[in-house]
Amino acid sequence: MAKSEGGIGETIKTVVWALLIAGAFRTLFFQPFWIPSESMKSTLLIGDFIFVNKMAYGYSRYSCPFGICPFTGRILASEPERGDVVVFRHPVNGSDMIKRLIGLPGDQIQVKQGVLYINGAAAPQVPDGVFEEVFEPQGPMGNRPGCANAPSMGEICEKPRFRETLPNGIEHTVLNIGESTGLPDNTDVFTVPERHYFFMGDNRDNSTDSRYPQTAGGVGFVSEEYLIGRADRVMFSSAGSRMLYFWTWRSDRYFKAIE
C-alpha cells in the first residue's frame, strides 16, 4: 500500500511541476494564439495558429494568464516598431486581439479615401492583385467573408489587395473592398497619446480597431501596459471548423513568416 501511495504522490508532483513549467513558459516566452476572425487577412487567415513572442516588448501584468502578475507598468521594456503584428489585451472587454501597429506615441493618423496617412504623409499603396477565397462559413464561428463582388455560396469572393509601405520601410499587404461595408475609408485625425499605440487590421474594411473608440466597442488608443507580444510566424493552419479535421489543414502555411 505504501508503495502504491508513493507512486500516486510522485505522479501528482510530476503533474504539478509540468503545469508550473508550462505556466512559466507561457508567461515568459511564448503564448499560443488562434486567429478567430478575418481582420488581418491576407496576412493572417482564420484558423492560423501562432506563437506570440512575449520577450519582444518586456512584461506587464497582462503577460500572466488572467492578468495576475503583481505589478504595474512594464519591466524589461522594449519599444515596438511600426508595422509589427501585435497581440494585446483589449482595454475594456479583456479579450486578446491581434492587429498591426500603425501609430506610435505622438503620431497623427488619418485615413482618406482608403489611404493611410501618418503625420500628414500618405503611406504609398500599389496594386497587388486580388485576394480570392471561397464564399462560405469560415472557422468555428462560421462567419462569411466580406467581398468586393457579390458571390453566391460556394463561389469565389474577391478583395482588391494592395502593398502598403510604412514610413520606416516596412511593407505589408492590405485589403480594401470599399465603402459598401459602412466602415470608415475616411476618418478624422487621431493624435496618439504618450505611452499609447494605434492599431489597424490589414483587412481594412473588416476590422474593429483603433479607428473606433472604446465607448463604441472599438479598440481606441491602446496603452503600453496592454501589449502582450509580437507575432512572428504561423506555426500551423486549419481552414475547417475543427482543428482535428486534417483534410482542411493548410500545409503551405506551416512555419510561414508573418510580414
Side-chain angles (χ1 to χ4, degrees):
M1 178 65 71
K3 184 175 181 178
S4 176
E5 290 176 352
I8 294 173
E10 287 300 317
T11 300
I12 292 173
K13 285 196 292 184
T14 299
V15 170
V16 169
W17 276 110
L19 292 174
L20 289 174
I21 292 170
F25 184 87
R26 184 183 185 278
T27 298
L28 296 175
F29 302 111
F30 297 97
Q31 174 179 322
F33 188 84
W34 189 271
I35 304 300
S37 74
E38 65 172 320
S39 70
M40 283 296 294
K41 288 179 180 175
S42 59
T43 305
L44 294 170
L45 305 181
I46 294 175
D48 281 351
F49 183 77
I50 65 177
F51 278 104
V52 180
N53 181 356
K54 303 183 79 168
M55 300 174 284
Y57 311 133
Y59 305 94
S60 75
R61 59 176 292 192
Y62 298 104
S63 300
C64 293
F66 312 110
I68 60 174
C69 285
F71 57 86
T72 58
R74 301 195 74 81
I75 60 174
L76 303 176
S78 297
E79 293 296 321
E81 295 186 14
R82 193 192 314 274
D84 284 355
V85 177
V86 179
V87 172
F88 58 90
R89 185 67 49 86
H90 191 288
V92 176
N93 65 29
S95 63
D96 288 347
M97 304 190 72
I98 185 166
K99 307 287 181 185
R100 190 175 298 275
L101 176 56
I102 296 296
L104 303 174
D107 281 344
Q108 291 189 324
I109 307 296
Q110 187 176 21
V111 178
K112 294 190 290 186
Q113 296 182 334
V115 176
L116 172 66
Y117 286 74
I118 300 176
N119 297 322
Q125 291 184 1
V126 295
D128 190 36
V130 176
F131 176 73
E132 296 182 344
E133 58 186 338
V134 178
F135 185 69
E136 61 184 358
Q138 297 182 342
M141 293 188 293
N143 294 333
R144 300 175 185 177
C147 311
N149 57 339
S152 298
M153 192 66 64
E155 295 181 341
I156 295 299
C157 167
E158 298 179 347
K159 299 180 181 69
R161 181 170 54 201
F162 303 86
R163 181 158 288 273
E164 182 176 85
T165 303
L166 299 176
N168 57 348
I170 297 296
E171 294 186 8
H172 63 102
T173 58
V174 297
L175 305 179
N176 194 332
I177 63 176
E179 293 280 7
S180 61
T181 62
L183 300 179
D185 272 355
N186 295 279
T187 72
D188 294 331
V189 176
F190 301 95
T191 300
V192 185
E194 182 180 359
R195 301 176 69 177
H196 286 71
Y197 298 97
F198 189 97
F199 291 94
M200 293 178 68
D202 289 349
N203 191 1
R204 293 284 166 81
D205 292 313
N206 202 324
S207 174
T208 302
D209 49 39
S210 291
R211 291 172 289 175
Y212 308 85
Q214 296 168 13
T215 54
V219 172
F221 302 119
V222 178
S223 170
E224 63 181 11
E225 70 174 320
Y226 291 103
L227 304 185
I228 293 175
R230 185 182 65 222
D232 293 328
R233 192 171 294 273
V234 176
M235 305 303 293
F236 171 83
S237 186
S238 172
S241 59
R242 296 288 186 273
M243 183 178 68
L244 296 180
Y245 293 171
F246 63 88
W247 57 91
T248 67
W249 294 355
R250 305 181 181 108
S251 58
D252 61 324
R253 296 188 65 78
Y254 295 172
F255 308 109
K256 180 179 177 63
I258 297 172
E259 299 180 347

